[in-house]
Amino acid sequence: MQLFSKARLAAVMGACAMTLGMTAGAQAADEPRRPECIAPAQPGGGFDLTCRLAVEGLKQSGALQKPMRIVYMPGGIGAVAYNNIVAQHPDEPGTIVAFSGGSLLNLAQGKFGKYNVDDVRWLAGIGADYGVAVVRDDSPYKDLKSLMEAFKQDPSKIVLGAGGTVGSQDWMKAALTAKAAGVDYRKMRFVAFEGGGEAVTALRGGHIQAYMGDAAEAFTMLEGGAPIRVLAVFNDERLPGKLNSIPTAKEQGYDINWPIIRGFYVGPKVSDEAYQFWVDAFNKTMAAPEYAKLRDQQGLFPFAKTGPELDAYVKEQVKKYHALADSFGLIKK
């Protein structure tokens, strides 16, 4: 009887161990085996920043146990990566791809080829940036109104610089500035640069009079002692933190609003279970107290939307961007 009880006990314990092992295995299977974040640009830019924020945030919060690698896939402000995921890797559960407001603007203009906003699963928005108007610190323009008035009097004397070509985010900010000043955007003198760094160099050299950039990079430049002055933030409200002293364009009588969100999407055929894993992971990460510090270190501001809420937001933004681009004659009929 005693031998039978021991044998039975051993069998029961073995069965329990097997059950626990299967349960643990099922839980572990929920997390992708080889998680990766695709940054659709060269290292060092905004997409890289977005992936690095996810890598560190998911790790610190414990939402992701395995190390996540970053893969760089430059081209078309996200177009190459978008086409690659939709056409070649639509069901990769461990791959998330960074996007920005610039990606959505290009989608709205049909610059991602045959694919549109409905061809991926929008996952998480993890931070935001905002447009700004910047001049040299010795500029005669002390506020946005004085710049606008000079622009209206003689558009040829105010050269606006920005990163990106016609139709890009920075071009849009310049065109909206012209419109708010009552100037035909087709008459504005606009110089396109490869990136914000080149535009700021041109500003400091006096080759352009104003730069339509981003708050995060302006903050970084100010912290580094760059001789610049931020005239306005293109947002409905003042930004928190060290840029709180900068008035909004709206405060100064010009309704220019340009948020720049940063986040991620996954392939169109990723399962609901895998998609939900990432939604839960980002919700946990962004709720963690240390996340705000990580986000602030990257120069980003609060923005947190996941799953269906982000999906609705993105599609609404693309609709607005399409109408805006059409108003500037950028949509091919």
Side-chain angles (χ1 to χ4, degrees), residues 20-32 66 277:
L20 288 170
M22 289 173 67
T23 303
Q27 290 174 342
D30 288 342
E31 180 175 315
K66 297 182 179 68
F277 166 82

Side-chain angles (χ1 to χ4, degrees), residues 7 25 29 34 71 98 100 118 120 144 167 171 202 219 289:
R34 296 177 182 174
V71 178
S100 70
D118 297 315
V120 299
L144 188 60
W171 183 90
F219 172 75

Side-chain angles (χ1 to χ4, degrees), residues 78-108:
V80 171
Y82 204 85
N83 279 261
N84 178 270
I85 286 296
V86 177
Q88 299 177 39
H89 304 283
D91 56 355
E92 293 285 345
T95 300
I96 63 174
V97 188
F99 78 90
S100 70
S103 309
L104 304 185
L105 181 59
N106 275 5
L107 266 175

Side-chain angles (χ1 to χ4, degrees), residues 6-30:
K6 285 183 177 179
R8 182 65 179 269
L9 180 61
V12 171
M13 290 179 67
C16 288
M18 185 178 294
T19 302
L20 288 170
M22 289 173 67
T23 303
Q27 290 174 342
D30 288 342

Side-chain angles (χ1 to χ4, degrees), residues 90-138:
D91 56 355
E92 293 285 345
T95 300
I96 63 174
V97 188
F99 78 90
S100 70
S103 309
L104 304 185
L105 181 59
N106 275 5
L107 266 175
Q109 296 178 59
K111 292 183 178 181
F112 278 15
K114 63 181 181 180
Y115 300 117
N116 61 42
V117 69
D118 297 315
D119 288 318
V120 299
R121 304 192 72 175
W122 300 98
L123 179 63
I126 64 169
D129 200 354
Y130 297 90
V132 291
V134 179
V135 295
R136 282 183 12 166
D137 63 350
D138 61 354

Side-chain angles (χ1 to χ4, degrees), residues 82-242:
Y82 204 85
N83 279 261
N84 178 270
I85 286 296
V86 177
Q88 299 177 39
H89 304 283
D91 56 355
E92 293 285 345
T95 300
I96 63 174
V97 188
F99 78 90
S100 70
S103 309
L104 304 185
L105 181 59
N106 275 5
L107 266 175
Q109 296 178 59
K111 292 183 178 181
F112 278 15
K114 63 181 181 180
Y115 300 117
N116 61 42
V117 69
D118 297 315
D119 288 318
V120 299
R121 304 192 72 175
W122 300 98
L123 179 63
I126 64 169
D129 200 354
Y130 297 90
V132 291
V134 179
V135 295
R136 282 183 12 166
D137 63 350
D138 61 354
S139 169
Y141 311 114
K142 306 301 182 184
D143 53 28
L144 188 60
K145 184 177 181 180
S146 59
L147 174 67
M148 294 296 215
E149 288 178 347
F151 194 25
K152 189 172 184 178
Q153 287 175 8
D154 189 353
S156 68
K157 287 187 177 180
I158 306 297
V159 183
L160 301 177
T165 56
V166 172
S168 68
Q169 283 201 99
D170 287 354
W171 183 90
M172 280 289 187
K173 284 179 280 186
L176 287 170
T177 301
K179 184 177 180 181
V183 174
D184 185 341
Y185 71 93
R186 288 167 293 192
K187 293 181 180 179
M188 73 177 179
R189 293 180 63 191
F190 174 81
V191 181
F193 297 95
E194 183 65 29
E198 289 185 11
V200 171
T201 299
L203 178 69
R204 295 173 68 172
H207 305 295
I208 60 176
Q209 280 65 58
Y211 167 51
M212 303 299 121
D214 302 331
E217 64 183 356
F219 172 75
T220 301
M221 289 186 289
L222 287 170
E223 288 287 280
I228 63 169
R229 180 187 302 129
V230 182
L231 300 182
V233 173
F234 296 162
N235 188 37
D236 289 337
E237 300 176 351
R238 291 198 183 195
L239 300 180
K242 294 184 178 180

Side-chain angles (χ1 to χ4, degrees), residues 242-259:
K242 294 184 178 180
L243 290 181
N244 187 255
S245 62
I246 310 298
T248 68
K250 194 171 184 179
E251 282 180 67
Q252 301 177 66
Y254 303 96
D255 193 9
I256 310 173
N257 188 23
W258 198 266

